[in-house]
């Protein structure tokens, strides 16, 4: 399948790469299918690219790269919705807000994206932990 992307132009993807968000992402409820594409070969940053809309792509990364103490529990309804049976199948991504200079780039730790890599299902959850915010400086390295 060929899709148009924001950062990579027109590319071919395998349908097995598509991650399904049953309810879309907050603010993008109609966008239910995304693929994760590396921004470059050696970068921790990825593009979460809509399959349908080339202009809808979010820069994401594993929050654990930048925030060693980041931890939370996944609620039971999310575990069931995503059919998560083994923690090894889970991938967590944080949406980044890129800023100039780059040191001002932030990660949304309040609303991580949970992916079941085995089932290719995902959901963005909202954490109720007051210590996490939508804009944590990635250069800060602490939560």
């Amino acid at each position: 399948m060929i899709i148009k992307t924001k950062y990579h132009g027109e590319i071919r993807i395998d349908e097995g790469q598509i991650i399904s968000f049953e309810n879309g992402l907050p603010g993008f409820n109609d966008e239910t299918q995304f693929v994760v594409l590396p921004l470059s070969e050696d970068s921790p940053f990825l593009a979460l690219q809509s399959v349908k809309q080339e202009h809808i792509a979010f820069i994401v990364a594993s929050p654990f790269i930048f925030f060693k103490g980041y931890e939370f529990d996944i609620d039971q309804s999310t575990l069931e919705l995503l059919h998560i049976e083994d923690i090894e199948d889970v991938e967590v991504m944080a949406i980044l807000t890129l800023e100039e200079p780059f040191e001002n780039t932030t990660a949304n730790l309040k609303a991580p994206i949970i992916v079941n890599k085995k089932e290719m299902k995902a959901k963005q959850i909202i954490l109720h932990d007051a210590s996490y915010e939508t804009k944590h400086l990635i250069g800060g390295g602490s939560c």
Side-chain angles (χ1 to χ4, degrees):
M1 152 182 230
I2 296 176
I3 65 169
K4 292 182 180 181
T5 70
K6 184 172 183 174
Y7 300 106
H8 299 84
E10 203 170 84
I11 63 166
R12 180 178 299 276
I13 63 163
D14 183 291
E15 289 192 27
Q17 291 177 266
I18 297 174
I19 299 170
S20 296
F21 287 77
E22 185 175 302
N23 302 311
L25 289 168
F28 298 90
N29 298 344
D30 294 336
E31 296 301 318
T32 59
Q33 295 186 317
F34 287 82
V35 292
V36 175
L37 305 169
L39 282 182
S40 67
E41 196 172 301
D42 57 348
S43 172
F45 305 109
L46 308 162
L48 182 65
Q49 172 68 54
S50 166
V51 171
K52 296 178 183 171
Q53 301 287 330
E54 73 180 279
H55 65 280
I56 298 177
F58 303 94
I59 302 302
V60 297
S62 168
F64 307 110
I65 295 171
F66 305 102
F67 305 97
K68 304 299 182 203
Y70 185 55
E71 61 181 38
F72 58 89
D73 293 322
I74 301 172
D75 62 273
Q76 190 62 36
S77 64
T78 299
L79 293 172
E80 291 171 9
L81 176 74
L82 301 180
H83 304 136
I84 295 172
E85 296 175 357
D86 187 343
I87 195 68
E88 296 297 318
D89 296 333
V90 174
E91 182 173 354
V92 177
M93 294 183 280
I95 294 178
L96 305 182
T97 302
L98 300 178
E99 300 287 347
E100 289 291 334
F102 185 77
E103 295 80 39
N104 293 336
T105 294
T106 60
N108 181 348
L109 300 185
K110 185 77 166 176
I113 295 172
I114 311 302
V115 180
N116 179 339
K117 300 179 293 188
K118 185 177 175 185
E119 299 285 329
M120 298 305 281
K121 293 178 177 281
K123 179 181 179 183
Q124 185 175 24
I125 64 173
I126 309 297
L127 302 178
H128 299 290
D129 186 327
S131 61
Y132 296 135
E133 301 171 5
T134 58
K135 292 188 178 273
H136 283 267
L137 285 173
I138 65 170
S142 62
C143 299

